[in-house]
Amino acid sequence: MELVPIDPDAGDDHPLLRRAAERLRAGGLVAFPTETVYGLGAHALDEAAVARIYAAKGRPAHNPVIVHVADAQAARAVVAEWTPHAELLARRFWPGPLTLVLPKGADVPASVVAGLAKVGVRVPAHPLALALLRAARVPVAAPSANRSNEVSPTTARHVVESLEGADVLVLDGGACSVGIESTVVDVSGPRPVLLRPGGVARDELERALGVPIATVEEVRDDAPRAAPGMLKKHYSTRAPLATTPHGDLAALRARLLRAPTPRAALVFESAARELRGEPLVVAMPDDPRAYARRLYAALRELDARAPALIVVESPPPGVAWDALRDRLSRAAAGADDAAG
Ligand code: TXA
Ligand code: MG
């Protein structure tokens, strides 16, 4: 593991970028910032390189990896079919926190897509990621740069903490501006399907497309996977995590006080004021974008104190909070009965 700081606007000719690009082309792993979270990148058309991603993350083989490219033209090269919906969304949201799922191109190894017939492809909106992709001149498979099931990394330090011991070059380009993963939408058929809510909200997609987007019923961990990789229990802290309804201070307090100490809470401002005296309380912003930017770092900070329980006040209703509600409910899955 090697951590190198680099100016996000370093430009394609920066020696560190060239070195990172060379490492990718040679089959090595490079962790790099995107606007959503840090990615753990490998040459997407090199089976052995892709295998290194799965090994470093401890990732189950049934969870497909997103392919990152520098522009829409490069995206067309890794898919077998570029649909009108793909064109609309790519024009409107790329570069950006949106992954399009399309029929897979013949060159993409089965391991990248976990044996599926479709591939997820995305153009990230981060100057360093784009410079790296241009310099690499190959598509780059990159899941979030954390051990499987952990909270995604939004700083280079998170990557180092998560993947300690792995043979990875980590480019430190600062904190991620979006803070949660991309929205994943299948645009291969006549009706687009939302596979994972994320950085682009569903209503924004529907407005751009002019048609409604279907959602997949969340699959159980032990059932056949309609939405691969969408494990019910995911994005987890080490400590058990429980959610309470938005604005319900009594429920929040009751849940928290039932847990042994040390116990932690991740709540909105007003609730934080009510919890004065409790040592491990993080007050979260009321704006969904600011909340997303802060969430994973805040969870990691609390988790590092090894609490018996982290109680999270759920975000309010509304489509702008969909992705955050999704991540928190996955983080809480299975933990609601733990730790008192
Ligand atoms: O923002 C992001 O998407 C980040 C950055 C690094 O780009 N990447 C990311 O990758 O979150 P990962 O591997 O942690 O999550 C990728 C998810 C998979 O779990 C799966 O749900 C979906 O994207 N996915 C990827 N390829 C797919 C495919 N071929 N078919 C269906 N879903 C796919
Ligand atoms: Mg991930």
Side-chain angles (χ1 to χ4, degrees), residues 34 36-39 57 59 63-66 68 99 101 113 116 118-120 122 142-144 180-182 184 195-196 228-230:
T34 80
T36 58
V37 301
Y38 271 72
K57 282 183 61 93
R59 185 176 178 100
N63 195 352
V65 179
I66 295 169
H68 295 67
T99 296
V101 172
V113 295
L116 300 166
K118 297 177 197 171
V119 63
R122 156 169 131 82
S144 51
I180 51 164
E181 302 82 356
S182 63
V184 181
L195 300 179
R196 178 179 72 180
M230 292 304 283

Side-chain angles (χ1 to χ4, degrees), residues 69 132 182:
V69 289
L132 178 65
S182 63

Side-chain angles (χ1 to χ4, degrees), residues 32-39 68-69 93-99 122-130 133 153-155 173-183 198-200 289 292-293 296:
F32 60 95
T34 80
E35 80 282 30
T36 58
V37 301
Y38 271 72
H68 295 67
V69 289
F93 296 105
W94 279 356
L98 177 68
T99 296
R122 156 169 131 82
V123 179
H126 192 289
L128 196 56
L130 289 172
L133 291 167
T154 52
T155 68
C176 301
S177 60
V178 173
I180 51 164
E181 302 82 356
S182 63
T183 302
V200 179
R289 287 181 198 273
R293 209 175 297 131
Y296 289 158

